[in-house]
Amino acid sequence: MQHTLQREWWKEGIVYQIYPRSFQDTTGNGVGDLQGIIRRLDYIKSLGVDIIWLNPVYQSPNDDNGYDISDYRNIMSEFGTMADFDELLAGLKERDLKLVMDLVVNHSSDEHYWFQESKKSRNNPYRDYYHWWPSEKGTPPKRWSFFDEESNAWKYDETTDSYYLHCFSVKQPDLKWENPKVRKEVYNLMEFWFKKGVDGFRMDVISFISKDINYPELPESYNGEFIPFYSNGPKLHEYLQEMNREVLSKYDIMTVGEAPGVDVNRALEFVDEERKELNMFFHFDLMNLDRTEGETFEMAKEPWKLSEFKKIHSKWDEVFSEKGWGSMFLNNHDFPRTVSRWGNDSRTHWYNSATMLQTFLLSMRGTPFFYYGEEIGMTNIKFEHISEYKDINTLNRYKLEKQNGGDLIAFLQNEKHASRDNARTPMQWDTSANSGFTTAKPWLKVNENFKEGINAASQEEDKTSVLNFFRKMVQIRKNHKTLIYGSYNLELAENEQVYAYTRTLNHERYLVLLSFSTKKTVVAFEHLDFTKVELIISNDDIYKTGRLKHFELMPYQATIYQLL
Ligand code: TEU
């Protein structure tokens, strides 16, 4: 297929996500801060990435680490001041790096002025900024909440004898987008940040903003598939188009929505250029591959299958082959570490699998999103005790399990692979105390494996490190536009050891081979037409099979060949 897609900076850029709380502490309080990011700007630039996405840095009581915002126009005290933010933005611009902020407007903090007013009386001017259910109507229809100790999204509030809706914690009341004043407030705060010069937004649970405000009773057959009752409400696209018209269209920025519950069939409704909504969104198909869907995050008993992994990526690539654009990610602040989940973090296979997964993200169509530490192959921490966890999701589910007399050992076993804290341990910088993250007690434990080579400083010196492989592969993507825009074609769909695909643009064609196996394997491509191959990159030695179209791969080996 010929190149039909429009070139854009946010399609060619590589994103690096920073969880500020865990990146670099400079004040000695055990919590990362904006000055810490400033200190590490040259390192970030050296990776070759182009766009930085910061998890929320706004004023927040931190019930959910910044996803509960009490002031959208100020910086969280623990992270610094607006002056620090301005300095950070200037430092990024100087280095030609773009900045994407987190936009969390499905809900605010209960400590936000709007909510403080809203709860005062039923006729307060801010009353209709949130979803209230007066108690004379009876108990509101069941809605499930992510972080509620009782799994109940309605919280009774005595002052006005009413319930308010909170899809996340009790301290994260849902904003009522049906109220035009709320929408105007949101557009204004977006303008505030765009005028400062930020380059876009990652939009938290954007598919939840429109709700059926009749709150219908859940059907009797309901068994935890809560997403349809929260996401894709009737006015979602009306609001996104309005937001685009009122704000987004005025700036050269990028948008990526977080969209739980959105499947391939609805994908283009968000990103078809003609609809003027968003540039990209994150789907959850991959994140749901190895866990039970629905109300809890339980890892599946059966191991996931590579053929399913391929199917997910192939169908999503196809959706955006002519319109819209995809996003690619293997982990973030809500999901366990890439190498532990999709690769193999044992000593033997850690290096190859970490670099193989980097090769994957950087050779697929769709903008790649890397999460801090992924460039050095950081792994899950797998805490033993509940006292080590800080995440509200793990803590509240533990309480619930305890109340219900559940199996707490099994619960903790699951969290070793599932908890969000696996992805939130501090960045591993060097071999000094706390891996150079802080001089104090870190807010969350540092993974001890910083002493075994998983730290940036040691890898900096080693030419063959995961870090230096990452840098090399980043440059390969940049220098081969075919890897960005070329069409994708899956090979050997049923093979459970190797993920193989070609990327083609005009007359240029590449073959990507990724082993997901702990054993040596051989794959053959007799049906492909080529007379010569040229090696572009490999994370391991190449073994010649003696036959042009047969390739032998070492465990977790990744290679890219140009086909000639
Ligand atoms: O996450 C939304 C969210 O809950 C999903 O990632 C969820 O894990 C998935 O849909 C389950 O299927 C966002 C933020 O990324 C997260 O950190 C916040 O806690 C949450 O919103 C609330 O703001």
Side-chain angles (χ1 to χ4, degrees):
M1 193 197 299
Q2 294 304 299
H3 172 201
T4 51
L5 298 164
Q6 179 75 33
R7 286 187 67 172
E8 303 283 358
W9 62 262
W10 44 266
K11 293 182 180 171
E12 294 177 23
I14 295 164
V15 183
Y16 186 71
Q17 180 192 349
I18 295 178
Y19 198 66
R21 177 165 294 271
S22 302
F23 200 59
Q24 175 71 66
D25 174 22
T26 59
T27 59
N29 65 351
V31 169
D33 46 55
L34 297 187
Q35 281 298 333
I37 304 175
I38 294 171
R39 185 190 287 176
R40 298 297 183 174
L41 280 176
D42 288 333
Y43 169 80
I44 297 167
K45 181 68 188 173
S46 81
L47 300 175
V49 299
D50 310 279
I51 304 165
I52 310 307
W53 155 27
L54 285 189
N55 287 104
V57 295
Y58 316 95
Q59 195 62 263
S60 161
N62 280 307
D63 192 49
D64 183 23
N65 288 0
Y67 281 92
D68 47 321
I69 298 169
S70 53
D71 182 350
Y72 289 94
R73 289 181 170 79
N74 266 311
I75 299 298
M76 192 190 298
S77 320
E78 281 178 304
F79 290 173
T81 62
M82 193 57 92
D84 295 322
F85 178 85
D86 293 339
E87 190 184 331
L88 171 61
L89 188 58
L92 289 165
K93 300 244 177 242
E94 238 166 67
R95 291 167 181 81
D96 205 16
L97 294 167
K98 307 252 188 203
L99 178 63
V100 167
M101 304 280 281
D102 222 302
L103 181 74
V104 190
V105 288
N106 171 69
H107 43 269
S108 72
S109 161
D110 65 338
E111 295 183 32
H112 194 290
Y113 173 75
W114 301 333
F115 190 74
Q116 291 295 310
E117 286 296 310
S118 187
K119 66 187 266 196
K120 278 186 183 159
S121 72
R122 289 192 180 187
N123 51 19
N124 186 282
Y126 290 90
R127 183 64 172 181
D128 212 26
Y129 271 44
Y130 296 87
H131 299 259
W132 289 100
W133 179 277
S135 79
E136 59 274 16
K137 282 172 72 180
T139 315
K142 167 81 185 149
R143 285 295 180 274
W144 182 80
S145 156
F146 274 89
F147 311 143
D148 187 74
E149 285 181 36
E150 275 141 28
S151 290
N152 183 1
W154 292 104
K155 171 80 180 165
Y156 179 71
D157 195 58
E158 258 177 14
T159 325
T160 58
D161 188 24
S162 306
Y163 299 82
Y164 67 86
L165 184 75
H166 64 92
C167 292
F168 295 88
S169 94
V170 282
K171 288 181 67 61
Q172 292 169 299
D174 284 50
L175 282 159
K176 193 168 176 188
W177 275 67
E178 288 69 22
N179 179 353
K181 282 193 201 147
V182 168
R183 305 205 296 276
K184 193 71 201 153
E185 298 271 14
V186 171
Y187 306 152
N188 287 345
L189 76 89
M190 292 172 76
E191 291 267 3
F192 172 85
W193 291 99
F194 284 141
K195 288 201 172 118
K196 273 193 174 284
V198 312
D199 303 288
F201 282 112
R202 172 268 186 190
M203 302 180 179
D204 195 58
V205 282
I206 202 68
S207 52
F208 286 22
I209 58 174
S210 158
K211 301 176 173 78
D212 182 342
I213 53 173
N214 297 316
Y215 316 106
E217 289 289 349
L218 297 177
E220 259 176 47
S221 57
Y222 178 82
N223 65 348
E225 73 305 17
F226 61 92
I227 293 283
F229 299 95
Y230 293 91
S231 70
N232 284 305
K235 299 213 162 153
L236 176 57
H237 294 289
E238 189 183 312
Y239 298 156
L240 289 176
Q241 284 169 12
E242 182 184 77
M243 179 198 278
N244 190 297
R245 213 166 43 238
E246 299 286 318
V247 201
L248 303 175
S249 58
K250 300 183 192 159
Y251 301 91
D252 174 24
I253 44 95
M254 72 165 243
T255 51
V256 53
E258 189 205 24
V262 175
D263 62 16
V264 278
N265 301 317
R266 315 202 63 168
L268 289 176
E269 293 173 13
F270 292 80
V271 296
D272 177 345
E273 293 79 359
E274 280 165 26
R275 289 172 57 90
K276 299 195 169 37
E277 295 190 18
L278 303 178
N279 298 138
M280 298 173 266
F281 66 86
F282 299 127
H283 68 77
F284 282 77
D285 283 3
L286 181 69
M287 294 298 122
N288 291 334
L289 174 63
D290 60 348
R291 58 171 184 155
T292 52
E293 269 185 81
E295 295 186 353
T296 54
F297 190 152
E298 259 173 65
M299 304 308 287
K301 304 260 175 316
E302 295 293 309
W304 56 275
K305 287 170 82 177
L306 184 61
S307 54
E308 297 293 327
F309 184 99
K310 298 177 188 180
K311 227 182 255 165
I312 290 169
H313 290 103
S314 304
K315 83 178 179 198
W316 278 96
D317 178 83
E318 158 125 48
V319 177
F320 302 129
S321 56
E322 279 164 31
K323 285 175 171 181
W325 188 253
S327 70
M328 294 288 305
F329 72 103
L330 291 171
N331 71 168
N332 63 32
H333 63 291
D334 290 334
F335 294 99
R337 286 278 173 187
T338 292
V339 66
S340 301
R341 187 176 184 186
W342 308 113
N344 185 322
D345 62 11
S346 71
R347 262 172 187 265
T348 329
H349 299 299
W350 168 78
Y351 176 84
N352 270 20
S353 67
T355 49
M356 181 276 288
L357 291 162
Q358 293 174 347
T359 309
F360 168 61
L361 278 193
L362 290 166
S363 63
M364 287 291 283
R365 184 152 57 174
T367 298
F369 286 73
F370 287 92
Y371 182 59
Y372 83 92
E374 199 169 351
E375 75 277 21
I376 57 169
M378 276 173 61
T379 64
N380 285 350
I381 191 156
K382 302 176 190 155
F383 287 134
E384 292 292 339
H385 302 287
I386 190 66
S387 60
E388 293 170 298
Y389 285 101
K390 294 286 182 290
D391 178 20
I392 182 172
N393 186 25
T394 299
L395 296 177
N396 284 358
R397 282 177 33 242
Y398 182 83
K399 280 187 206 156
L400 193 64
E401 196 73 24
K402 202 169 170 180
Q403 267 166 30
N404 297 343
D407 182 346
L408 294 175
I409 294 179
F411 177 86
L412 286 175
Q413 189 54 31
N414 181 64
E415 291 309 281
K416 281 188 186 177
H417 305 283
S419 175
R420 305 196 295 181
D421 277 344
N422 280 307
R424 297 177 177 183
T425 62
M427 174 65 184
Q428 293 164 212
W429 290 109
D430 54 42
T431 52
S432 69
N434 292 316
S435 199
F437 165 67
T438 182
T439 51
K441 182 172 183 278
W443 75 276
L444 187 67
K445 262 196 194 164
V446 178
N447 195 319
E448 285 295 303
N449 63 17
F450 77 86
K451 294 171 186 153
E452 291 148 33
I454 309 190
N455 72 76
S458 308
Q459 294 192 22
E460 188 73 50
E461 282 156 30
D462 174 2
K463 274 209 174 67
T464 64
S465 63
V466 173
L467 174 63
N468 284 318
F469 182 91
F470 177 76
R471 289 179 170 138
K472 194 168 150 199
M473 187 57 215
V474 160
Q475 292 312 317
I476 288 175
R477 181 173 180 89
K478 296 204 154 152
N479 296 331
H480 298 79
K481 290 284 174 286
T482 301
L483 294 181
I484 300 173
Y485 292 110
S487 62
Y488 156 98
N489 196 48
L490 177 65
E491 299 289 335
L492 318 177
E494 302 307 321
N495 188 309
E496 298 291 356
Q497 278 78 45
V498 177
Y499 191 172
Y501 47 91
T502 56
R503 301 293 314 276
T504 310
L505 188 64
N506 303 322
H507 299 296
E508 219 176 72
R509 192 164 41 139
Y510 297 91
L511 175 65
V512 182
L513 301 177
L514 308 168
S515 166
F516 281 73
S517 172
T518 54
K519 309 221 161 59
K520 274 196 216 170
T521 35
V522 176
V523 280
F525 300 90
E526 292 293 356
H527 60 289
L528 287 183
D529 182 26
F530 58 93
T531 52
K532 225 168 84 178
V533 294
E534 195 180 295
L535 183 68
I536 304 295
I537 192 167
S538 176
N539 63 353
D540 204 335
D541 297 333
I542 297 292
Y543 291 85
K544 295 254 184 295
T545 59
R547 297 174 70 179
L548 173 70
K549 295 184 177 178
H550 289 225
F551 301 85
E552 177 165 318
L553 294 171
M554 299 304 283
Y556 294 103
Q557 186 165 12
T559 54
I560 302 181
Y561 291 100
Q562 182 166 8
L563 302 183
L564 298 160

